[in-house]
Amino acid sequence: MEKLKRYIVFLIGCLILGFGVYTEVLANVAMLTGESFVRAVSSTWKTEFGTTKVAFDVSLTVIAAVLSIVFARRLDGVREGTVIAALLVGFIARLFGRKLSFLDTLLFHSDEIPQNGSQTF
């Protein structure tokens, strides 16, 4: 029962983190290094942000596991939570992006004409 509670709290944490990543990308503000790199790659290669984030997080997890085995001679610091989070956070961010896609238009694209007379898109 205790382990189930830990997994539920972990999944809630993944939801919160995925929503945070989504809002960070939506607001187009200064981002953490990981998300900024993913945004640069996804805009350059014209890929979906969520899919690129999952690939990036999984690759970092694999690199961490390999470096742990090479230097510590055992798998240390990479457990099931790391792997699950690497797979889920980008998926959750993508899910929020699809379900809340109206927020981009609602929050950042107004129909008002700016003072200088040009329309901004």
Side-chain angles (χ1 to χ4, degrees), residues 11-100:
L11 291 175
I12 291 170
C14 284
L15 278 171
I16 293 169
L17 182 58
F19 183 73
V21 168
Y22 163 71
T23 56
E24 189 178 40
V25 173
L26 175 68
N28 199 20
V29 295
M31 305 172 109
L32 295 172
T33 309
E35 280 74 32
S36 185
F37 179 80
V38 171
R39 183 175 63 174
V41 168
S42 65
S43 67
T44 301
W45 290 349
K46 308 290 186 258
T47 59
E48 191 175 23
F49 179 86
T51 305
T52 308
K53 173 134 180 71
V54 170
F56 178 73
D57 289 350
V58 168
S59 66
L60 287 182
T61 302
V62 169
I63 290 169
V66 168
L67 290 175
S68 173
I69 291 169
V70 167
F71 291 113
R73 303 279 185 227
R74 62 190 171 103
L75 187 59
D76 193 23
V78 178
R79 292 187 44 198
E80 67 276 7
T82 309
V83 175
I84 293 169
L87 294 169
L88 275 184
V89 172
F91 172 76
I92 291 169
R94 183 176 58 199
L95 186 66
F96 276 120
R98 288 182 179 163
K99 297 296 182 187
L100 302 176

Side-chain angles (χ1 to χ4, degrees), residues 82-121:
T82 309
V83 175
I84 293 169
L87 294 169
L88 275 184
V89 172
F91 172 76
I92 291 169
R94 183 176 58 199
L95 186 66
F96 276 120
R98 288 182 179 163
K99 297 296 182 187
L100 302 176
S101 61
F102 65 92
L103 284 180
D104 185 35
T105 305
L106 182 70
L107 295 175
F108 302 111
H109 302 294
S110 72
D111 293 327
E112 297 176 4
I113 296 176
Q115 295 291 340
N116 62 10
S118 64
Q119 187 80 20
T120 58
F121 293 98

